[in-house]
CSV table of all heavy atoms in Angstrom, one decimal:
chain,number,residue,atom,x,y,z
A,66,GLN,N,90.0,79.4,111.8
A,66,GLN,CA,89.3,78.2,112.1
A,66,GLN,C,88.5,78.4,113.4
A,66,GLN,O,88.9,79.1,114.3
A,66,GLN,CB,90.2,77.0,112.1
A,66,GLN,CG,90.9,76.7,110.8
A,66,GLN,CD,91.8,75.5,110.9
A,66,GLN,OE1,92.0,75.0,112.0
A,66,GLN,NE2,92.3,75.0,109.8
A,67,ALA,N,87.4,77.7,113.5
A,67,ALA,CA,86.6,77.7,114.7
A,67,ALA,C,87.4,77.2,115.9
A,67,ALA,O,88.2,76.3,115.8
A,67,ALA,CB,85.3,76.8,114.5
A,68,MET,N,87.2,77.9,117.0
A,68,MET,CA,87.8,77.6,118.2
A,68,MET,C,89.3,77.9,118.3
A,68,MET,O,90.0,77.5,119.2
A,68,MET,CB,87.6,76.1,118.6
A,68,MET,CG,86.1,75.7,118.6
A,68,MET,SD,85.2,76.7,119.8
A,68,MET,CE,85.9,76.1,121.4
A,69,SER,N,89.9,78.5,117.2
A,69,SER,CA,91.3,78.7,117.1
A,69,SER,C,91.6,80.2,117.6
A,69,SER,O,90.7,81.0,117.5
A,69,SER,CB,91.9,78.5,115.7
A,69,SER,OG,91.3,79.5,114.8
A,70,ALA,N,92.7,80.4,118.1
A,70,ALA,CA,93.1,81.7,118.6
A,70,ALA,C,93.3,82.7,117.4
A,70,ALA,O,93.8,82.3,116.4
A,70,ALA,CB,94.4,81.7,119.4
A,71,GLY,N,92.8,83.9,117.5
A,71,GLY,CA,92.9,84.8,116.4
A,71,GLY,C,94.3,85.3,116.3
A,71,GLY,O,95.1,85.2,117.2
A,72,ARG,N,94.6,85.7,115.1
A,72,ARG,CA,96.0,86.2,114.8
A,72,ARG,C,96.2,87.6,115.4
A,72,ARG,O,95.4,88.5,115.2
A,72,ARG,CB,96.2,86.3,113.2
A,72,ARG,CG,97.6,86.6,112.8
A,72,ARG,CD,97.7,86.5,111.3
A,72,ARG,NE,99.1,86.7,110.9
A,72,ARG,CZ,99.5,86.6,109.6
A,72,ARG,NH1,98.5,86.4,108.7
A,72,ARG,NH2,100.7,86.8,109.3
A,73,ALA,N,97.3,87.7,116.1
A,73,ALA,CA,97.5,89.0,116.8
A,73,ALA,C,97.8,90.1,115.7
A,73,ALA,O,98.5,89.9,114.7
A,73,ALA,CB,98.7,88.9,117.7
A,74,TRP,N,97.3,91.3,116.0
A,74,TRP,CA,97.5,92.4,115.1
A,74,TRP,C,99.0,92.8,115.1
A,74,TRP,O,99.6,92.8,116.1
A,74,TRP,CB,96.6,93.6,115.5
A,74,TRP,CG,96.9,94.8,114.6
A,74,TRP,CD1,96.3,95.1,113.4
A,74,TRP,CD2,97.7,96.0,115.0
A,74,TRP,NE1,96.8,96.3,113.0
A,74,TRP,CE2,97.6,96.9,113.9
A,74,TRP,CE3,98.5,96.3,116.0
A,74,TRP,CZ2,98.3,98.1,113.8
A,74,TRP,CZ3,99.2,97.5,116.0
A,74,TRP,CH2,99.1,98.4,114.9
A,75,GLN,N,99.5,93.2,113.9
A,75,GLN,CA,100.9,93.7,113.8
A,75,GLN,C,100.8,95.0,113.1
A,75,GLN,O,100.1,95.2,112.1
A,75,GLN,CB,101.7,92.7,113.0
A,75,GLN,CG,101.9,91.3,113.7
A,75,GLN,CD,102.8,90.4,112.9
A,75,GLN,OE1,103.3,90.7,111.9
A,75,GLN,NE2,102.9,89.1,113.4
A,76,PRO,N,101.6,96.0,113.5
A,76,PRO,CA,101.6,97.3,112.9
A,76,PRO,C,102.4,97.3,111.6
A,76,PRO,O,103.3,96.4,111.4
A,76,PRO,CB,102.3,98.2,113.9
A,76,PRO,CG,103.3,97.2,114.6
A,76,PRO,CD,102.6,95.9,114.6
A,77,PRO,N,102.1,98.2,110.7
A,77,PRO,CA,103.0,98.4,109.5
A,77,PRO,C,104.3,98.9,109.9
A,77,PRO,O,104.4,99.5,111.0
A,77,PRO,CB,102.2,99.4,108.7
A,77,PRO,CG,101.4,100.2,109.6
A,77,PRO,CD,101.0,99.2,110.7
A,78,VAL,N,105.3,98.7,109.1
A,78,VAL,CA,106.7,99.1,109.5
A,78,VAL,C,107.3,99.7,108.3
A,78,VAL,O,107.3,99.2,107.2
A,78,VAL,CB,107.6,97.9,109.9
A,78,VAL,CG1,109.0,98.3,110.3
A,78,VAL,CG2,106.9,97.2,111.1
A,79,GLN,N,107.9,100.9,108.5
A,79,GLN,CA,108.6,101.6,107.4
A,79,GLN,C,110.0,101.0,107.2
A,79,GLN,O,110.7,100.7,108.1
A,79,GLN,CB,108.7,103.1,107.7
A,79,GLN,CG,109.5,103.9,106.7
A,79,GLN,CD,109.9,105.3,107.2
A,79,GLN,OE1,109.6,105.6,108.3
A,79,GLN,NE2,110.6,106.1,106.4
A,80,ASN,N,110.4,100.8,105.9
A,80,ASN,CA,111.7,100.4,105.7
A,80,ASN,C,112.7,101.5,106.0
A,80,ASN,O,112.4,102.7,105.8
A,80,ASN,CB,111.9,100.0,104.2
A,80,ASN,CG,111.2,98.8,103.8
A,80,ASN,OD1,110.7,98.0,104.7
A,80,ASN,ND2,111.1,98.5,102.5
A,81,ALA,N,113.8,101.2,106.6
A,81,ALA,CA,114.8,102.2,106.9
A,81,ALA,C,114.2,103.3,107.8
A,81,ALA,O,114.5,104.5,107.6
A,81,ALA,CB,115.5,102.8,105.7
A,82,ALA,N,113.4,102.9,108.7
A,82,ALA,CA,112.8,103.9,109.6
A,82,ALA,C,113.9,104.6,110.5
A,82,ALA,O,114.8,103.9,110.9
A,82,ALA,CB,111.7,103.3,110.5
A,83,ASN,N,113.7,105.8,110.8
A,83,ASN,CA,114.5,106.5,111.8
A,83,ASN,C,113.9,106.5,113.1
A,83,ASN,O,113.1,107.4,113.5
A,83,ASN,CB,114.8,108.0,111.3
A,83,ASN,CG,115.7,108.7,112.2
A,83,ASN,OD1,116.4,108.2,113.1
A,83,ASN,ND2,115.8,110.0,112.0
A,84,ARG,N,114.2,105.5,113.9
A,84,ARG,CA,113.6,105.3,115.3
A,84,ARG,C,112.2,104.9,115.2
A,84,ARG,O,111.8,103.8,115.7
A,84,ARG,CB,113.8,106.5,116.2
A,84,ARG,CG,115.2,106.8,116.5
A,84,ARG,CD,115.3,108.0,117.5
A,84,ARG,NE,116.8,108.3,117.7
A,84,ARG,CZ,117.1,109.3,118.5
A,84,ARG,NH1,116.2,110.0,119.2
A,84,ARG,NH2,118.4,109.6,118.7
A,85,HIS,N,111.3,105.7,114.6
A,85,HIS,CA,109.9,105.4,114.5
A,85,HIS,C,109.5,105.4,113.1
A,85,HIS,O,110.0,106.1,112.3
A,85,HIS,CB,109.0,106.4,115.3
A,85,HIS,CG,109.3,106.4,116.8
A,85,HIS,ND1,110.3,107.1,117.4
A,85,HIS,CD2,108.7,105.7,117.8
A,85,HIS,CE1,110.3,106.9,118.7
A,85,HIS,NE2,109.3,106.1,119.0
A,86,SER,N,108.5,104.5,112.8
A,86,SER,CA,108.0,104.3,111.4
A,86,SER,C,107.1,105.5,111.0
A,86,SER,O,106.3,105.9,111.8
A,86,SER,CB,107.3,103.0,111.2
A,86,SER,OG,108.2,101.9,111.2
A,87,ILE,N,107.2,105.9,109.8
A,87,ILE,CA,106.2,106.8,109.1
A,87,ILE,C,105.8,106.0,107.9
A,87,ILE,O,106.5,106.1,106.8
A,87,ILE,CB,106.8,108.2,108.8
A,87,ILE,CG1,107.3,108.8,110.1
A,87,ILE,CG2,105.7,109.0,108.1
A,87,ILE,CD1,108.0,110.2,109.8
A,88,PHE,N,104.8,105.2,108.0
A,88,PHE,CA,104.4,104.3,106.9
A,88,PHE,C,103.5,105.0,105.9
A,88,PHE,O,102.6,105.8,106.3
A,88,PHE,CB,103.7,103.1,107.5
A,88,PHE,CG,103.3,102.1,106.5
A,88,PHE,CD1,104.2,101.2,106.0
A,88,PHE,CD2,102.0,102.1,106.0
A,88,PHE,CE1,103.8,100.3,105.0
A,88,PHE,CE2,101.6,101.2,105.0
A,88,PHE,CZ,102.5,100.2,104.5
A,89,MET,N,103.8,104.8,104.6
A,89,MET,CA,103.1,105.5,103.6
A,89,MET,C,102.6,104.4,102.6
A,89,MET,O,103.4,103.6,102.1
A,89,MET,CB,104.0,106.5,102.9
A,89,MET,CG,103.4,107.1,101.6
A,89,MET,SD,102.0,108.2,101.8
A,89,MET,CE,102.7,109.6,102.7
A,90,ASP,N,101.3,104.4,102.2
A,90,ASP,CA,100.8,103.5,101.2
A,90,ASP,C,100.1,104.4,100.2
A,90,ASP,O,99.1,105.1,100.5
A,90,ASP,CB,99.8,102.5,101.9
A,90,ASP,CG,99.8,101.2,101.2
A,90,ASP,OD1,100.4,101.1,100.1
A,90,ASP,OD2,99.2,100.2,101.7
A,91,VAL,N,100.5,104.4,99.0
A,91,VAL,CA,100.1,105.3,98.0
A,91,VAL,C,99.3,104.6,96.9
A,91,VAL,O,99.7,103.6,96.3
A,91,VAL,CB,101.3,106.0,97.3
A,91,VAL,CG1,100.9,107.1,96.3
A,91,VAL,CG2,102.2,106.6,98.4
A,92,GLU,N,98.1,105.2,96.6
A,92,GLU,CA,97.3,104.7,95.5
A,92,GLU,C,97.8,105.3,94.2
A,92,GLU,O,97.8,106.6,94.1
A,92,GLU,CB,95.8,105.0,95.7
A,92,GLU,CG,94.9,104.4,94.7
A,92,GLU,CD,93.4,104.7,95.1
A,92,GLU,OE1,93.1,105.8,95.5
A,92,GLU,OE2,92.6,103.8,94.9
A,93,LEU,N,98.1,104.5,93.2
A,93,LEU,CA,98.6,105.0,91.9
A,93,LEU,C,97.5,105.2,90.9
A,93,LEU,O,97.6,106.1,90.0
A,93,LEU,CB,99.6,104.1,91.3
A,93,LEU,CG,100.8,103.7,92.2
A,93,LEU,CD1,101.8,102.9,91.5
A,93,LEU,CD2,101.5,105.0,92.8
A,94,TRP,N,96.4,104.4,91.0
A,94,TRP,CA,95.2,104.7,90.2
A,94,TRP,C,94.0,104.1,90.9
A,94,TRP,O,94.2,103.2,91.8
A,94,TRP,CB,95.3,104.0,88.8
A,94,TRP,CG,95.4,102.5,88.7
A,94,TRP,CD1,94.3,101.7,88.7
A,94,TRP,CD2,96.5,101.7,88.7
A,94,TRP,NE1,94.7,100.4,88.7
A,94,TRP,CE2,96.1,100.4,88.6
A,94,TRP,CE3,97.9,101.9,88.7
A,94,TRP,CZ2,96.9,99.3,88.6
A,94,TRP,CZ3,98.7,100.9,88.6
A,94,TRP,CH2,98.3,99.5,88.6
A,95,ASP,N,92.8,104.6,90.6
A,95,ASP,CA,91.7,104.1,91.4
A,95,ASP,C,90.7,103.2,90.6
A,95,ASP,O,89.9,102.6,91.1
A,95,ASP,CB,90.9,105.3,92.0
A,95,ASP,CG,90.4,106.3,91.0
A,95,ASP,OD1,90.6,106.1,89.8
A,95,ASP,OD2,89.8,107.3,91.5
A,96,TYR,N,90.7,103.3,89.2
A,96,TYR,CA,89.9,102.4,88.5
A,96,TYR,C,90.5,102.2,87.1
A,96,TYR,O,91.3,103.1,86.6
A,96,TYR,CB,88.5,102.8,88.4
A,96,TYR,CG,88.1,103.9,87.4
A,96,TYR,CD1,87.9,103.6,86.1
A,96,TYR,CD2,88.0,105.2,87.9
A,96,TYR,CE1,87.5,104.6,85.2
A,96,TYR,CE2,87.7,106.2,87.0
A,96,TYR,CZ,87.5,105.9,85.6
A,96,TYR,OH,87.1,106.9,84.8
A,97,GLU,N,90.1,101.1,86.4
A,97,GLU,CA,90.6,100.9,85.1
A,97,GLU,C,89.4,100.4,84.2
A,97,GLU,O,88.6,99.6,84.6
A,97,GLU,CB,91.7,99.8,85.1
A,97,GLU,CG,92.3,99.5,83.7
A,97,GLU,CD,93.4,98.6,83.8
A,97,GLU,OE1,93.8,98.2,84.9
A,97,GLU,OE2,94.0,98.2,82.7
A,98,GLU,N,89.2,101.0,83.1
A,98,GLU,CA,88.1,100.7,82.2
A,98,GLU,C,88.6,100.7,80.7
A,98,GLU,O,89.2,101.7,80.3
A,98,GLU,CB,87.0,101.7,82.4
A,98,GLU,CG,85.7,101.4,81.6
A,98,GLU,CD,84.6,102.4,81.8
A,98,GLU,OE1,84.7,103.2,82.8
A,98,GLU,OE2,83.6,102.4,81.1
A,99,ASP,N,88.3,99.6,80.0
A,99,ASP,CA,88.8,99.4,78.7
A,99,ASP,C,90.3,99.7,78.5
A,99,ASP,O,90.8,100.3,77.5
A,99,ASP,CB,88.0,100.4,77.7
A,99,ASP,CG,86.5,100.1,77.7
A,99,ASP,OD1,86.1,98.9,77.9
A,99,ASP,OD2,85.7,101.1,77.6
A,100,GLY,N,91.0,99.2,79.5
A,100,GLY,CA,92.5,99.3,79.5
A,100,GLY,C,93.0,100.7,79.8
A,100,GLY,O,94.2,100.9,79.8
A,101,LYS,N,92.1,101.6,80.2
A,101,LYS,CA,92.6,103.0,80.5
A,101,LYS,C,92.4,103.2,82.0
A,101,LYS,O,91.3,103.0,82.6
A,101,LYS,CB,91.8,104.0,79.7
A,101,LYS,CG,92.2,105.4,79.9
A,101,LYS,CD,91.5,106.4,79.0
A,101,LYS,CE,92.0,107.8,79.1
A,101,LYS,NZ,91.3,108.7,78.2
A,102,ARG,N,93.4,103.6,82.7
A,102,ARG,CA,93.4,103.9,84.1
A,102,ARG,C,93.2,105.4,84.4
A,102,ARG,O,93.6,106.2,83.6
A,102,ARG,CB,94.7,103.4,84.8
A,102,ARG,CG,94.9,101.9,84.7
A,102,ARG,CD,96.3,101.6,85.1
A,102,ARG,NE,96.5,100.1,85.3
A,102,ARG,CZ,97.6,99.4,84.9
A,102,ARG,NH1,98.6,100.1,84.4
A,102,ARG,NH2,97.6,98.1,85.1
A,103,ARG,N,92.6,105.6,85.6
A,103,ARG,CA,92.5,107.0,86.1
A,103,ARG,C,93.6,107.1,87.1
A,103,ARG,O,93.5,106.6,88.2
A,103,ARG,CB,91.1,107.3,86.7
A,103,ARG,CG,91.1,108.8,87.1
A,103,ARG,CD,89.7,109.2,87.5
A,103,ARG,NE,89.3,108.6,88.8
A,103,ARG,CZ,88.2,108.9,89.4
A,103,ARG,NH1,87.3,109.8,88.8
A,103,ARG,NH2,87.9,108.4,90.5
A,104,TRP,N,94.6,107.8,86.8
A,104,TRP,CA,95.8,108.0,87.6
A,104,TRP,C,95.5,108.9,88.8
A,104,TRP,O,94.8,109.8,88.7
A,104,TRP,CB,97.0,108.5,86.8
A,104,TRP,CG,97.3,107.6,85.6
A,104,TRP,CD1,97.0,107.9,84.3
A,104,TRP,CD2,98.0,106.3,85.6
A,104,TRP,NE1,97.4,106.9,83.5
A,104,TRP,CE2,98.1,105.9,84.3
A,104,TRP,CE3,98.6,105.5,86.6
A,104,TRP,CZ2,98.7,104.7,83.9
A,104,TRP,CZ3,99.2,104.4,86.3
A,104,TRP,CH2,99.2,103.9,85.0
A,105,SER,N,96.2,108.6,89.9
A,105,SER,CA,96.0,109.5,91.1
A,105,SER,C,96.9,110.7,91.0
A,105,SER,O,97.8,110.8,90.2
A,105,SER,CB,96.5,108.7,92.3
A,105,SER,OG,97.9,108.5,92.4
A,106,CYS,N,96.5,111.7,91.8
A,106,CYS,CA,97.2,113.0,91.8
A,106,CYS,C,98.7,112.8,92.2
A,106,CYS,O,99.5,113.4,91.5
A,106,CYS,CB,96.5,114.0,92.8
A,106,CYS,SG,97.2,115.6,92.8
A,107,PRO,N,99.0,112.0,93.2
A,107,PRO,CA,100.4,111.8,93.6
A,107,PRO,C,101.2,111.2,92.5
A,107,PRO,O,102.4,111.6,92.2
A,107,PRO,CB,100.3,110.9,94.8
A,107,PRO,CG,99.0,111.2,95.4
A,107,PRO,CD,98.1,111.4,94.3
A,108,PHE,N,100.6,110.2,91.7
A,108,PHE,CA,101.4,109.6,90.7
A,108,PHE,C,101.6,110.5,89.5
A,108,PHE,O,102.8,110.6,89.0
A,108,PHE,CB,100.6,108.3,90.2
A,108,PHE,CG,101.5,107.5,89.3
A,108,PHE,CD1,102.7,107.0,89.8
A,108,PHE,CD2,101.2,107.2,88.0
A,108,PHE,CE1,103.5,106.2,89.0
A,108,PHE,CE2,102.0,106.4,87.2
A,108,PHE,CZ,103.2,105.9,87.7
A,109,LEU,N,100.6,111.3,89.1
A,109,LEU,CA,100.9,112.3,88.1
A,109,LEU,C,101.9,113.4,88.5
A,109,LEU,O,102.7,113.9,87.7
A,109,LEU,CB,99.5,113.0,87.7
A,109,LEU,CG,98.5,112.1,87.0
A,109,LEU,CD1,97.2,112.9,86.7
A,109,LEU,CD2,99.1,111.5,85.7
A,110,ALA,N,101.8,113.7,89.8
A,110,ALA,CA,102.8,114.7,90.4
A,110,ALA,C,104.2,114.1,90.3
A,110,ALA,O,105.2,114.9,90.2
A,110,ALA,CB,102.4,115.1,91.8
A,111,ALA,N,104.3,112.8,90.5
A,111,ALA,CA,105.6,112.2,90.4
A,111,ALA,C,106.2,112.3,89.0
A,111,ALA,O,107.4,112.5,88.8
A,111,ALA,CB,105.6,110.8,90.9
């Protein structure tokens, strides 16, 4: 809102981090057309 204080930035946090976080955000597919997705390399490797 106008004239309101901005929200302070917060870092991502890894679940069950060992002292310091190593945050991972993985894309499983990048687009979908006619119900068919193009899967990502990491997901197919999984």
Side-chain angles (χ1 to χ4, degrees):
Q66 295 181 351
M68 305 301 291
S69 65
R72 187 177 186 179
W74 177 82
Q75 296 179 6
V78 179
Q79 177 191 1
N80 290 349
N83 183 10
R84 297 187 181 177
H85 296 85
S86 287
I87 302 176
F88 182 78
M89 171 69 70
D90 212 349
V91 184
E92 187 177 38
L93 305 184
W94 68 85
D95 60 359
Y96 79 85
E97 183 172 357
E98 185 176 347
D99 298 328
K101 187 175 182 180
R102 294 171 171 140
R103 185 171 70 175
W104 303 101
S105 69
C106 182
F108 192 59
L109 292 177

